[in-house]
Amino acid sequence: MEQWNNVELTNMSKKSYTLNHAYNMAEKLNKENAAAVTSNGNGSNDSIPAKEQPESSLLKPGSDVRPKVEPDDVESLLRRLYGITVSEVKEILAYDDRNFLIHEDSNVKNPLIVSHCPNGYVLKIMNSLDSKKEDVVDAQNQVMLYLSKKQIKCPRPIANASGKYYSVEKLSGTAHVVRLLEFVPGQIFREVPITKYLLFQSGEYLAKLDRTLKDFTHEAYVRHTTTWQLQNVPGVREFLFAVKDQEHKALCEEVIDAFESKVLSVVSTLEHQIIHGDFNESNIVIEPAPNQTDHNIKGVIDFGDASNSPLLFEVGIALTYMTLEANDLASGGIFLAGYTSIKPISSTELGYLKYCVAARLVQSLVMGLYTHSLHPTNDYLLSTQQDGWKLLETLWRESFESVDELWSTTGHQYLTQSNK
């Protein structure tokens, strides 16, 4: 398998065209899409009016919300919605969505896209549950446009033939939001050796990202909720049947109980703002540093879990993945040192972080097992299982009482013994 962002790619289609291959579809495409419902960004004949969309809800056990998409569907969507004639399509394995790395045929004229992305595009077909929340889709698009204007590198949405940044399409009888984003080239965090410098820089970068997001608002985020928000960890209990190991299941129940008691009981006192919500090793784009020895963070991708949440949860989620990737509990202190060098965290909130890390691990491990039971060939869903259970047991059983001091000491040692 080929790799993109360290995620397996399925090569679906490769095509070539001659230089004189005619393409005069612009007028036809615009006529087709003009008939669609456009009041909420829709742009296809199969688009579904927002008023017909069911009320949004959290994922329920037994639900399979992943889009059922064939290769022909992808090429048809790209041609009809964006005027793109495909030269190559590769699927990027994802969680509940379907994502495709697209390269257009440069020999075919396309008047629908004014500014072409030489590195390609990502066609995102959202799962049926999130596709019911069109206002949130608009919010995600606006976040990326906002950050791009603030010189933070992230994917920018591409307008379709109707001038909208998304449309709702019926695929295999189910409604799914379809979007096209610019592809951000580069390596992904998990593709390179994890150094102390990279961990520290990740903390700095996330703090700067949060500082920029503090001034962003969107009405949709006032009421938006998803299964993956840390405040919804108690809902994971409904999916514990997917955990067959009884010791693991008991550990999950213990963590959820403690997270409710220690953190969710005081959540109203925590600072809230729009957060990225999934700053992990697969969503951070990096590039070689000028010295060609280290790496610098270039940008961030995937705003599907952005929400109005406690800022502390942003840190806890990122800390979880940084620690997992480094395969060292103590290394979390270096990431925290980077973050707090830009945005200080009170000692009280620092004490909540270990509960947040444990809760995120439970959330990821349980939901990974559940979703894999629905799609047993998608091993991406199990990517954190082995190391995740090990880290959870180490944190909860061996280091819980001392982890605050461990992180503090490790961060301090890095700051005093290095040049960053």
Side-chain angles (χ1 to χ4, degrees):
M1 288 284 190
E2 295 184 61
Q3 299 279 320
W4 176 75
N5 291 0
N6 206 36
V7 177
E8 287 185 343
L9 299 173
T10 302
N11 191 0
M12 295 178 61
S13 176
K14 290 185 178 180
K15 296 187 175 182
S16 62
Y17 297 83
T18 59
L19 285 172
N20 63 355
H21 184 97
Y23 184 66
N24 299 309
M25 293 288 289
E27 183 177 354
K28 181 176 183 294
L29 284 165
N30 281 299
K31 285 181 179 179
E32 288 178 353
N33 288 288
V37 178
T38 59
S39 60
N40 282 280
N42 298 339
S44 77
N45 290 328
D46 294 326
S47 296
I48 299 175
K51 64 181 180 181
E52 295 180 15
Q53 298 286 354
E55 292 185 3
S56 61
S57 59
L58 298 179
L59 185 67
K60 299 297 182 184
S63 300
D64 185 4
V65 298
R66 204 161 187 261
K68 296 175 176 60
V69 183
E70 300 298 329
D72 288 345
D73 296 327
V74 174
E75 295 195 25
S76 176
L77 287 169
L78 288 164
R79 193 173 181 93
R80 176 166 59 82
L81 296 174
Y82 298 95
I84 290 178
T85 298
V86 174
S87 68
E88 191 170 4
V89 180
K90 297 179 180 180
E91 180 162 14
I92 307 165
L93 296 185
Y95 221 93
D96 289 326
D97 299 331
R98 300 290 294 276
N99 299 327
F100 301 88
L101 178 59
I102 308 297
H103 287 94
E104 61 182 326
D105 190 334
S106 59
N107 298 325
V108 181
K109 183 180 179 182
N110 178 8
L112 297 182
I113 296 180
V114 178
S115 179
H116 294 264
C117 184
N119 300 301
Y121 307 89
V122 176
L123 182 75
K124 297 183 71 70
I125 304 176
M126 293 179 66
N127 66 78
S128 58
L129 181 63
D130 290 339
S131 292
K132 297 172 183 177
K133 311 167 188 177
E134 293 186 45
D135 56 342
V136 177
V137 176
D138 178 66
Q140 292 174 13
N141 288 333
Q142 295 305 319
V143 163
M144 290 183 282
L145 291 169
Y146 172 81
L147 290 175
S148 294
K149 290 179 181 179
K150 297 291 184 179
Q151 307 305 311
I152 290 181
K153 190 67 175 179
C154 63
R156 289 194 307 159
I158 302 297
N160 60 27
S162 297
K164 308 298 181 180
Y165 287 125
Y166 75 93
S167 64
V168 182
E169 309 293 328
K170 273 191 176 179
L171 300 170
S172 300
T174 304
H176 296 280
V177 163
V178 176
R179 292 184 290 169
L180 191 68
L181 306 177
E182 288 185 351
F183 173 70
V184 179
Q187 288 183 286
I188 287 300
F189 189 95
R190 66 183 300 176
E191 292 182 328
V192 301
I194 306 304
T195 63
K196 293 179 179 180
Y197 171 79
L198 193 54
L199 286 170
F200 184 87
Q201 189 187 164
S202 298
E204 285 185 313
Y205 188 91
L206 182 60
K208 293 174 183 177
L209 176 65
D210 288 337
R211 188 172 59 188
T212 304
L213 284 173
K214 186 173 181 61
D215 294 327
F216 178 83
T217 59
H218 194 289
E219 183 180 354
Y221 285 137
V222 174
R223 56 189 178 279
H224 175 52
T225 184
T226 74
T227 302
W228 284 98
Q229 287 174 306
L230 210 55
Q231 53 266 48
N232 290 325
V233 161
V236 173
R237 290 191 180 99
E238 295 184 55
F239 299 89
L240 283 175
F241 64 87
V243 183
K244 304 308 179 184
D245 186 303
Q246 294 305 307
E247 290 187 4
H248 285 170
K249 183 181 292 187
L251 177 57
C252 290
E253 291 172 340
E254 189 176 331
V255 170
I256 295 171
D257 288 346
F259 183 68
E260 278 188 307
S261 173
K262 301 294 185 179
V263 181
L264 294 186
S265 62
V266 298
V267 75
S268 62
T269 68
L270 303 176
E271 179 185 356
H272 286 60
Q273 68 163 69
I274 306 302
I275 65 173
H276 178 275
D278 198 21
F279 193 76
N280 67 40
E281 74 285 355
S282 294
N283 291 336
I284 305 168
V285 183
I286 63 172
E287 60 186 355
N291 62 15
Q292 297 297 312
T293 300
D294 298 311
H295 291 85
N296 291 329
I297 296 181
K298 178 179 181 178
V300 60
I301 62 175
D302 194 352
F303 288 80
D305 290 311
S307 67
N308 186 355
S309 294
L311 185 59
L312 184 71
F313 289 1
E314 175 91 294
V315 183
I317 290 168
L319 177 58
T320 303
Y321 294 114
M322 294 298 105
T323 306
L324 262 175
E325 198 61 21
N327 196 26
D328 174 29
L329 184 61
S331 66
I334 300 174
F335 168 80
L336 284 175
Y339 190 93
T340 55
S341 70
I342 304 295
K343 287 184 68 67
I345 302 175
S346 71
S347 58
T348 299
E349 292 191 345
L350 284 172
Y352 297 144
L353 275 176
K354 55 191 177 187
Y355 294 98
C356 294
V357 171
R360 183 57 164 195
L361 284 168
V362 167
Q363 200 174 33
S364 178
L365 291 166
V366 174
M367 297 310 297
L369 287 172
Y370 167 71
T371 311
H372 188 261
S373 71
L374 301 177
H375 303 282
T377 61
N378 188 355
D379 289 337
Y380 170 69
L381 302 168
L382 302 180
S383 59
T384 63
Q385 290 293 314
Q386 182 175 355
D387 291 340
W389 288 113
K390 181 180 178 181
L391 177 61
L392 180 59
E393 289 168 346
T394 299
L395 169 63
W396 202 253
R397 303 296 189 202
E398 300 175 21
S399 306
F400 194 78
E401 296 301 324
S402 60
V403 71
D404 297 330
E405 182 178 352
L406 176 66
W407 285 337
S408 176
T409 301
T410 304
H412 179 72
Q413 287 177 343
Y414 176 75
L415 289 173
T416 55
Q417 296 175 8
S418 76
N419 295 319
K420 303 183 185 179

